[in-house]
Tab-separated table of all heavy atoms in Angstrom:
chain	number	residue	atom	x	y	z
C	574	ASN	N	-5.931	21.278	5.609
C	574	ASN	CA	-5.141	21.258	6.719
C	574	ASN	C	-4.402	22.478	6.984
C	574	ASN	O	-4.272	22.944	8.176
C	574	ASN	CB	-4.054	20.016	6.558
C	574	ASN	CG	-4.754	18.730	6.586
C	574	ASN	OD1	-5.893	18.583	6.950
C	574	ASN	ND2	-3.913	17.643	6.305
C	580	ASN	N	-4.357	18.870	11.053
C	580	ASN	CA	-4.673	17.867	10.059
C	580	ASN	C	-6.118	17.332	10.384
C	580	ASN	O	-6.414	16.870	11.461
C	580	ASN	CB	-3.785	16.672	10.216
C	580	ASN	CG	-2.418	16.973	9.877
C	580	ASN	OD1	-1.805	18.021	10.377
C	580	ASN	ND2	-1.781	16.205	9.031
C	581	MET	N	-6.993	17.411	9.252
C	581	MET	CA	-8.292	16.937	9.428
C	581	MET	C	-8.416	15.436	9.519
C	581	MET	O	-7.754	14.700	8.795
C	581	MET	CB	-9.174	17.353	8.244
C	581	MET	CG	-10.576	17.045	8.374
C	581	MET	SD	-11.717	17.414	6.927
C	581	MET	CE	-12.003	19.035	7.363
C	582	GLN	N	-9.207	14.907	10.428
C	582	GLN	CA	-9.372	13.497	10.574
C	582	GLN	C	-10.649	13.039	9.964
C	582	GLN	O	-11.435	13.852	9.538
C	582	GLN	CB	-9.295	13.103	12.109
C	582	GLN	CG	-8.090	13.650	12.882
C	582	GLN	CD	-6.840	13.009	12.358
C	582	GLN	OE1	-6.626	11.914	12.078
C	582	GLN	NE2	-5.835	13.957	12.091
C	588	SER	N	-6.124	17.044	14.305
C	588	SER	CA	-5.048	16.619	15.270
C	588	SER	C	-4.140	17.785	15.545
C	588	SER	O	-4.068	18.735	14.690
C	588	SER	CB	-4.245	15.466	14.674
C	588	SER	OG	-3.496	15.891	13.516
C	590	VAL	N	-0.189	18.737	16.481
C	590	VAL	CA	1.143	18.148	16.554
C	590	VAL	C	2.149	19.332	16.818
C	590	VAL	O	2.596	20.026	15.921
C	590	VAL	CB	1.613	17.504	15.326
C	590	VAL	CG1	2.904	16.699	15.436
C	590	VAL	CG2	0.534	16.561	14.756
C	618	LYS	N	-0.911	10.012	21.149
C	618	LYS	CA	-0.184	8.950	20.526
C	618	LYS	C	1.214	9.460	20.283
C	618	LYS	O	1.448	10.636	19.802
C	618	LYS	CB	-0.917	8.506	19.185
C	618	LYS	CG	-0.102	7.372	18.559
C	618	LYS	CD	-0.754	6.993	17.309
C	618	LYS	CE	0.031	5.725	16.761
C	618	LYS	NZ	1.342	6.010	16.429
C	619	ILE	N	2.191	8.619	20.440
C	619	ILE	CA	3.501	8.891	19.998
C	619	ILE	C	3.618	8.572	18.508
C	619	ILE	O	3.229	7.467	18.067
C	619	ILE	CB	4.643	7.906	20.661
C	619	ILE	CG1	4.393	7.947	22.169
C	619	ILE	CG2	5.970	8.269	20.247
C	619	ILE	CD1	4.977	9.078	22.882
C	620	THR	N	3.999	9.555	17.731
C	620	THR	CA	3.980	9.327	16.223
C	620	THR	C	5.253	8.588	15.795
C	620	THR	O	6.216	8.327	16.623
C	620	THR	CB	4.062	10.631	15.440
C	620	THR	OG1	5.289	11.243	15.667
C	620	THR	CG2	3.010	11.515	15.959
C	621	GLY	N	5.366	8.241	14.487
C	621	GLY	CA	6.507	7.605	13.902
C	621	GLY	C	7.548	8.564	13.691
C	621	GLY	O	8.701	8.336	13.229
C	622	GLY	N	7.394	9.878	14.076
C	622	GLY	CA	8.344	10.972	13.777
C	622	GLY	C	9.006	11.478	15.112
C	622	GLY	O	9.312	12.665	15.119
C	623	GLN	N	8.959	10.707	16.175
C	623	GLN	CA	9.489	11.161	17.439
C	623	GLN	C	8.844	12.374	18.029
C	623	GLN	O	9.507	13.336	18.457
C	623	GLN	CB	11.054	11.476	17.323
C	623	GLN	CG	11.849	10.248	16.997
C	623	GLN	CD	13.301	10.408	17.184
C	623	GLN	OE1	13.789	11.595	16.997
C	623	GLN	NE2	14.082	9.365	17.407
C	624	ARG	N	7.550	12.363	17.955
C	624	ARG	CA	6.777	13.435	18.672
C	624	ARG	C	5.397	12.906	19.048
C	624	ARG	O	5.118	11.801	18.915
C	624	ARG	CB	6.781	14.760	17.900
C	624	ARG	CG	6.401	14.613	16.472
C	624	ARG	CD	6.647	15.894	15.706
C	624	ARG	NE	6.039	15.896	14.429
C	624	ARG	CZ	6.089	16.989	13.658
C	624	ARG	NH1	6.567	18.132	14.122
C	624	ARG	NH2	5.618	16.933	12.424
C	626	ASP	N	1.240	13.305	18.997
C	626	ASP	CA	0.077	13.821	18.240
C	626	ASP	C	-1.161	13.776	19.199
C	626	ASP	O	-1.306	12.738	19.949
C	626	ASP	CB	-0.135	12.881	17.020
C	626	ASP	CG	-0.905	13.687	15.963
C	626	ASP	OD1	-1.519	14.674	16.188
C	626	ASP	OD2	-0.812	13.104	14.758
C	628	PHE	N	-5.161	13.906	19.119
C	628	PHE	CA	-6.306	13.823	18.155
C	628	PHE	C	-7.611	14.135	18.751
C	628	PHE	O	-7.928	13.883	19.963
C	628	PHE	CB	-6.325	12.451	17.573
C	628	PHE	CG	-5.202	11.996	16.754
C	628	PHE	CD1	-3.990	11.557	17.342
C	628	PHE	CD2	-5.150	12.071	15.382
C	628	PHE	CE1	-2.877	11.087	16.674
C	628	PHE	CE2	-4.036	11.725	14.675
C	628	PHE	CZ	-2.888	11.232	15.184
C	652	ALA	N	2.765	19.811	10.978
C	652	ALA	CA	2.361	18.494	10.509
C	652	ALA	C	1.363	18.596	9.343
C	652	ALA	O	1.107	17.699	8.607
C	652	ALA	CB	1.777	17.641	11.553
C	655	LYS	N	3.054	21.271	3.632
C	655	LYS	CA	4.148	20.567	2.855
C	655	LYS	C	5.322	21.381	3.263
C	655	LYS	O	5.623	22.478	2.686
C	655	LYS	CB	3.772	20.798	1.293
C	655	LYS	CG	2.534	20.099	0.874
C	655	LYS	CD	2.702	18.618	0.909
C	655	LYS	CE	1.400	17.881	0.705
C	655	LYS	NZ	0.893	17.186	1.860
C	658	ARG	N	8.996	18.400	8.266
C	658	ARG	CA	8.240	17.655	9.396
C	658	ARG	C	9.239	17.534	10.585
C	658	ARG	O	9.249	18.375	11.446
C	658	ARG	CB	7.807	16.302	8.854
C	658	ARG	CG	6.728	16.341	7.845
C	658	ARG	CD	5.363	16.876	8.468
C	658	ARG	NE	4.463	17.235	7.426
C	658	ARG	CZ	3.658	16.512	6.805
C	658	ARG	NH1	3.634	15.212	7.002
C	658	ARG	NH2	2.838	16.876	5.858
C	659	THR	N	10.069	16.535	10.610
C	659	THR	CA	10.799	16.267	11.783
C	659	THR	C	12.232	16.009	11.423
C	659	THR	O	12.547	15.703	10.303
C	659	THR	CB	10.310	15.018	12.499
C	659	THR	OG1	10.423	13.878	11.554
C	659	THR	CG2	8.858	15.102	12.947
C	661	LYS	N	14.605	13.638	12.882
C	661	LYS	CA	14.769	12.509	13.800
C	661	LYS	C	16.266	12.369	14.282
C	661	LYS	O	17.148	12.696	13.544
C	661	LYS	CB	14.339	11.217	13.070
C	661	LYS	CG	14.252	10.068	13.992
C	661	LYS	CD	13.592	8.906	13.153
C	661	LYS	CE	13.632	7.526	13.949
C	661	LYS	NZ	12.981	6.515	13.337
C	694	HIS	N	6.931	19.124	-1.494
C	694	HIS	CA	6.230	18.044	-0.751
C	694	HIS	C	6.844	18.064	0.649
C	694	HIS	O	7.689	18.889	0.919
C	694	HIS	CB	6.541	16.629	-1.379
C	694	HIS	CG	5.539	15.586	-1.063
C	694	HIS	ND1	4.926	15.483	0.248
C	694	HIS	CD2	5.018	14.623	-1.777
C	694	HIS	CE1	4.107	14.439	0.214
C	694	HIS	NE2	4.133	13.911	-0.993
C	695	LYS	N	6.381	17.222	1.566
C	695	LYS	CA	7.048	17.312	2.916
C	695	LYS	C	8.454	16.818	2.914
C	695	LYS	O	8.897	16.146	2.031
C	695	LYS	CB	6.301	16.433	3.826
C	695	LYS	CG	6.170	14.933	3.427
C	695	LYS	CD	5.229	14.174	4.309
C	695	LYS	CE	4.937	12.854	3.850
C	695	LYS	NZ	3.717	12.378	4.557
C	697	LYS	N	11.781	15.343	5.364
C	697	LYS	CA	12.130	14.717	6.590
C	697	LYS	C	13.601	14.580	6.685
C	697	LYS	O	14.274	14.284	5.714
C	697	LYS	CB	11.439	13.315	6.771
C	697	LYS	CG	9.887	13.518	6.757
C	697	LYS	CD	9.145	12.202	6.918
C	697	LYS	CE	7.667	12.531	6.942
C	697	LYS	NZ	6.899	11.363	7.114
C	712	GLY	N	17.056	6.835	5.328
C	712	GLY	CA	15.682	6.785	4.782
C	712	GLY	C	15.035	8.134	4.749
C	712	GLY	O	13.778	8.172	4.678
C	713	LYS	N	15.799	9.147	4.742
C	713	LYS	CA	15.168	10.467	4.828
C	713	LYS	C	15.494	11.362	3.563
C	713	LYS	O	16.552	10.996	2.870
C	713	LYS	CB	15.679	11.125	6.080
C	713	LYS	CG	15.377	10.421	7.315
C	713	LYS	CD	13.879	10.459	7.658
C	713	LYS	CE	13.568	9.666	8.950
C	713	LYS	NZ	12.451	8.840	8.895
C	731	ASN	N	13.489	8.203	1.165
C	731	ASN	CA	12.243	8.386	1.989
C	731	ASN	C	11.628	6.915	2.180
C	731	ASN	O	12.068	5.951	1.686
C	731	ASN	CB	11.180	9.160	1.197
C	731	ASN	CG	10.910	8.628	-0.188
C	731	ASN	OD1	11.143	9.191	-1.181
C	731	ASN	ND2	10.287	7.439	-0.251
C	732	GLY	N	10.732	6.912	3.210
C	732	GLY	CA	9.996	5.739	3.463
C	732	GLY	C	8.707	5.828	2.644
C	732	GLY	O	8.677	6.217	1.496
C	733	GLY	N	7.584	5.560	3.274
C	733	GLY	CA	6.306	5.814	2.672
C	733	GLY	C	5.971	4.743	1.574
C	733	GLY	O	6.475	3.669	1.676
C	734	MET	N	5.265	5.214	0.586
C	734	MET	CA	4.642	4.237	-0.345
C	734	MET	C	5.664	3.577	-1.228
C	734	MET	O	5.609	2.452	-1.538
C	734	MET	CB	3.777	5.010	-1.315
C	734	MET	CG	2.647	5.673	-0.610
C	734	MET	SD	1.623	6.601	-1.792
C	734	MET	CE	1.526	8.172	-0.864
C	735	LYS	N	6.801	4.315	-1.584
C	735	LYS	CA	7.819	3.674	-2.406
C	735	LYS	C	9.078	3.985	-1.808
C	735	LYS	O	9.798	4.939	-2.020
C	735	LYS	CB	7.790	4.359	-3.845
C	735	LYS	CG	8.130	3.292	-4.861
C	735	LYS	CD	7.949	3.834	-6.221
C	735	LYS	CE	8.676	3.014	-7.288
C	735	LYS	NZ	9.217	3.870	-8.288
C	771	ARG	N	8.435	14.206	-4.000
C	771	ARG	CA	9.416	14.031	-2.940
C	771	ARG	C	10.786	14.247	-3.522
C	771	ARG	O	11.012	14.043	-4.744
C	771	ARG	CB	9.379	12.706	-2.150
C	771	ARG	CG	8.086	12.484	-1.404
C	771	ARG	CD	8.089	13.086	-0.048
C	771	ARG	NE	9.077	12.753	0.932
C	771	ARG	CZ	8.828	11.998	1.992
C	771	ARG	NH1	7.769	11.334	2.140
C	771	ARG	NH2	9.832	11.722	2.855
A	97	SRM	C1	0.793	10.756	12.810
A	97	SRM	C2	1.623	9.888	11.865
A	97	SRM	C3	1.463	8.410	12.172
A	97	SRM	C4	1.689	8.006	13.528
A	97	SRM	O1	0.749	7.811	14.312
A	97	SRM	O2	2.866	7.748	13.763
A	97	SRM	C5	1.412	10.159	10.426
A	97	SRM	C6	0.130	10.529	9.989
A	97	SRM	C7	-0.186	10.960	8.728
A	97	SRM	N1	0.630	10.714	7.656
A	97	SRM	FE1	2.507	9.860	7.648
A	97	SRM	N2	2.404	10.045	9.576
A	97	SRM	C8	3.482	9.887	10.422
A	97	SRM	C9	4.738	9.420	10.078
A	97	SRM	C10	5.054	9.019	8.740
A	97	SRM	C11	6.302	8.352	8.425
A	97	SRM	C12	7.406	7.939	9.399
A	97	SRM	C13	8.484	8.938	9.594
A	97	SRM	O3	8.313	10.198	9.323
A	97	SRM	O4	9.542	8.485	10.049
A	97	SRM	C14	6.283	8.101	7.079
A	97	SRM	C15	7.305	7.349	6.170
A	97	SRM	C16	8.587	8.177	5.969
A	97	SRM	C17	8.561	9.115	4.798
A	97	SRM	O5	7.590	9.997	4.700
A	97	SRM	O6	9.520	9.054	4.103
A	97	SRM	C18	5.010	8.623	6.568
A	97	SRM	C19	4.544	8.543	5.330
A	97	SRM	C20	3.352	9.254	4.885
A	97	SRM	C21	2.955	9.424	3.510
A	97	SRM	C22	3.698	8.767	2.254
A	97	SRM	C23	4.773	9.674	1.781
A	97	SRM	C24	5.466	9.192	0.573
A	97	SRM	O7	6.329	9.931	0.047
A	97	SRM	O8	5.142	8.079	0.092
A	97	SRM	C25	1.796	10.146	3.484
A	97	SRM	C26	0.985	10.666	2.227
A	97	SRM	C27	1.560	11.907	1.644
A	97	SRM	O9	2.232	12.656	2.318
A	97	SRM	O10	1.160	12.124	0.535
A	97	SRM	C28	1.511	10.447	4.883
A	97	SRM	C29	0.386	11.174	5.290
A	97	SRM	C30	-0.013	11.291	6.575
A	97	SRM	C31	-1.292	12.060	6.966
A	97	SRM	C32	-0.984	13.510	6.904
A	97	SRM	C33	-2.495	11.674	6.166
A	97	SRM	C34	-3.556	12.656	6.080
A	97	SRM	O11	-3.522	13.540	5.189
A	97	SRM	O12	-4.539	12.641	6.896
A	97	SRM	C35	-1.588	11.522	8.385
A	97	SRM	C36	-2.140	12.567	9.269
A	97	SRM	C37	-1.343	13.136	10.415
A	97	SRM	C38	-2.118	13.750	11.507
A	97	SRM	O13	-3.288	13.700	11.526
A	97	SRM	O14	-1.515	14.291	12.490
A	97	SRM	N3	2.469	9.904	5.630
A	97	SRM	N4	4.308	9.178	7.693
A	97	SRM	C39	3.170	10.215	11.875
A	97	SRM	C40	3.462	11.616	12.164
A	97	SRM	C41	4.905	11.938	12.277
A	97	SRM	C42	5.181	13.306	12.889
A	97	SRM	O15	5.519	13.356	14.049
A	97	SRM	O16	4.995	14.241	12.076
Side-chain angles (χ1 to χ4, degrees):
Chain C
N574 287 352
N580 297 48
M581 182 183 275
Q582 306 299 313
S588 71
V590 191
K618 178 180 185 301
I619 309 280
T620 71
Q623 293 191 337
R624 47 189 187 174
D626 205 341
F628 294 83
K655 298 290 171 248
R658 291 290 165 84
T659 57
K661 189 172 171 175
H694 205 322
K695 59 188 169 197
K697 297 180 179 181
K713 302 289 181 223
N731 59 247
M734 299 174 228
K735 213 174 163 213
R771 292 284 296 259

